[in-house]
Amino acid sequence: MGDCALLPATVDSRSRLPDQARAEGVTDAALVGAQPIGNVFTMENHDGAYYAWKQAGIKGRILVHVDAHLDWDWVPDRDPLEILQAESLTQINSLLQERHLWNLARRKSEELVHIGNYLCPALSEGIVKELYWVLPDVAFENLRLRRAIVRKLQRLISAHSKELINIRLESTWIVGEILGRPLTACSLSDLPRLQEPVLLDIDTDFLMGDSDEICRSGDNPWRQLPWMWPDELIESLSAKPIRADFVTIAYSVEGGFTPLSYKYLGDVLAQRFKDPIVPQRNRELLALKRAGARYRSQKDPVQAIAAFEAAVALAPEDASSHFDLAYLHDQQGAHVQAAACYQQALQLDGAYATAYNNFGPVYHDLGMLHHAQDEYERILTWDPQHADARFGLAEILAQQERWEEAISQYRMAVAFGPNHTRAHCGLGYVSARCGLWDEAIIQFQRSIALQPCDVRAYCWLSEAYSHQKRWDEAIEAYRCVLRCGARHARIHQRLGGLYLRTRRFYKAWRQYRQAVRLWGWSLSSTWRKFRKRATTRLSFGGGSPVFTFSSRFSKNGKIPWRIIEQEAILIDLDEGEVVRLNPVGAEIWNAIDGTRTANDIVDHVCRTFDVSQWRARRDVRRFIKQLLRHDLVEERPTVSTA
């Protein structure tokens, strides 16, 4: 839209910024709305802002984050092996309180940073030294709403007590500390005057209402209007005044945050930051589009069509006007003309083929399936090969247990979008419900190949393996779920059941114990069932590992460990657990080297701790059997000397 020379650069996690934007230090800052800003970058996903700051070498800056949503959840990037670098048991205890931050799947940092947490690495890496979170005015309308924000932040504190502290309400501000950096949340009108240049980070969805609330209320989301237009936002920032030298703007269409018909507002903002003097043609175009949106909101499709057609005549290269016309013509029953306008929008900007070019996903998430189906079917009349709409329709049919129709739609979605991860997973799920286990396994494996941490696919893959009595593969699938960071009671419960199937009772006990911790005592019936089954099977000798004092044992080579202050710290990466051994256990563990027999270890314990032979034999026997049950050690085969 507008003069091509003024279009900002678009970035994501794989992009490289222009050389002039990657220079160290602060460039000359400009007064927002009055002077041109050199570094302005747009992106679809807001985490692109973090990569832009990082590539530019930015350090120690104030960030003004203009967004309707919370974007600073924590990144689970902590290597659990860092525990072995601790210098004291006190430090171990501290690290064990941060299990939610462990990266058990060893995923790359770019796989862990997303739109909901990208501000945390910016804070922890020193890119941002102070954060101002600017929310829409409605969030600070009254004391009740401000307290609701405080409660939301305090819920985060319960899980991240060290990183987010001292959250409190001060007049019209909410203040606190995040990762040791000052945090202020406020409305745009209450943003204080800042004496130094800032990083300005804007989400286009700030300008819009909540589509979920609009759909839930029964209003037509296609008719919504921004509560604030780009020129009004810039005027408000200019009045502070705000000086900035680096601006990032996210469209946030994916996820349904910004309606696709208003994606262009992000471009308007970017152009105004790049050049505050708006060309006459651009002013006329924006006026026509604004008028069209107003007529659409007022249920006057004839005037709305006239306004958008005038916009197309003025700027034929503007994809958003063609897209708006597609919906309006469809509402008037001109489906062929609607499809033509939609296809023209796609030719101008392929991003308009997104899954969120309709409100089907929003209605679907709200459980309003009839409305969701209408949305998907509308898009399919415009584009029968739209893989995401086919997928959405398949999901509705699956929820209605119309299995054959669902399979047909899933297969079309996969045919039109071979890399559609969720379509492969959905096809696997429906195949499983129809008893087609081999087909289900194939589809789940394809889904995982496309998205290695697809928790839903792993869970259903485990169920499919279970139905084929492939217990070890089923267990491994659930272990992958745990390594991906999922921690739900149901997962531990199912994994515990699989361990029972394979007579690994102590591993089952650990999983059920974890499930009870996560779910509370509502699992007491399952716990009693486990104890009954385990006791019965143990009475036949199935749960007790074979042990003789002449056996040699070696440590499990997959278990990293270290002695710290006379305690042995072992990390079971498969189970996501840390095992701590007291000084006696640590001495026995250290003595297990693959060459010593259990009798040799008993003699070693007697010499080291000055205990009787009888007591040492009892303790060594119990301890090694426990290690065997947890797969922490294994018996070495006896080599015949004959």
Side-chain angles (χ1 to χ4, degrees), residues 361-467:
V362 178
Y363 280 123
H364 204 150
D365 289 343
L366 294 173
M368 303 171 71
L369 300 186
H370 178 71
H371 292 288
Q373 184 170 341
D374 289 343
E375 291 288 307
Y376 294 138
E377 289 177 346
R378 175 190 292 118
I379 292 298
L380 289 173
T381 62
W382 301 352
D383 180 7
Q385 297 186 6
H386 196 288
D388 291 299
R390 292 285 177 194
F391 165 75
L393 199 54
E395 291 280 280
I396 292 174
L397 293 168
Q399 285 181 258
Q400 297 170 344
E401 298 188 358
R402 296 158 62 182
W403 304 124
E404 291 185 5
E405 295 172 83
I407 286 176
S408 175
Q409 292 295 333
Y410 278 127
R411 284 179 175 163
M412 282 192 279
V414 168
F416 298 138
N419 294 331
H420 200 300
T421 304
R422 296 176 67 196
H424 283 291
C425 187
L427 181 55
Y429 165 75
V430 174
S431 298
R433 292 300 301 266
C434 294
L436 305 173
W437 297 110
D438 289 335
E439 174 66 14
I441 288 171
I442 290 171
Q443 295 301 327
F444 292 137
Q445 288 174 337
R446 287 176 180 170
S447 178
I448 291 166
L450 292 167
Q451 185 177 328
C453 267
D454 189 340
V455 169
R456 183 189 178 200
Y458 273 123
C459 289
W460 273 103
L461 180 62
S462 179
E463 295 301 309
Y465 282 140
S466 297
H467 275 273

Side-chain angles (χ1 to χ4, degrees), residues 46 133 165 247 277 281 286 311 330 620:
H46 215 159
W133 178 25
I165 62 173
V247 179
I277 301 175
R281 178 174 178 268
L286 292 174
D330 189 88
V620 168

Side-chain angles (χ1 to χ4, degrees), residues 222-223 261-262 292-299 304 324 328:
W222 289 91
R223 296 190 182 125
S261 58
Y262 287 111
R294 187 173 65 252
Y295 287 130
R296 182 177 58 200
S297 178
Q298 295 169 352
K299 303 180 183 180
D324 286 320
L328 290 165

Side-chain angles (χ1 to χ4, degrees), residues 32 66 134 188 200 202-204 206-207 227-240 265 269 272-273:
V32 170
V66 183
V134 179
L188 188 58
L200 186 55
I202 300 174
D203 199 319
T204 308
F206 175 85
L207 305 172
W227 72 272
M228 173 178 276
W229 293 88
D231 55 340
E232 296 169 336
L233 173 59
I234 290 176
E235 287 172 9
S236 297
L237 292 170
S238 177
K240 288 302 169 183
L265 298 181
L269 283 170
R272 286 291 306 273
F273 287 127

Side-chain angles (χ1 to χ4, degrees), residues 465-529:
Y465 282 140
S466 297
H467 275 273
Q468 295 187 338
K469 298 184 179 181
R470 296 160 64 176
W471 307 120
D472 289 340
E473 291 166 285
I475 287 171
E476 181 57 28
Y478 267 123
R479 280 180 169 178
C480 289
V481 172
L482 296 178
R483 286 196 289 269
C484 288
R487 289 289 184 272
H488 303 292
R490 181 68 69 183
I491 293 170
H492 290 285
Q493 182 189 13
R494 296 295 296 169
L495 185 54
L498 289 169
Y499 279 134
L500 279 181
R501 285 276 187 181
T502 54
R503 307 177 70 82
R504 285 176 264 187
F505 301 117
Y506 287 91
K507 280 186 173 290
W509 173 76
R510 288 167 66 184
Q511 294 301 324
Y512 279 125
R513 181 183 62 181
Q514 187 64 24
V516 169
R517 287 174 178 172
L518 292 171
W519 210 343
W521 291 106
S522 60
L523 276 181
S524 58
S525 61
T526 303
W527 182 254
R528 288 195 298 271
K529 176 182 175 184

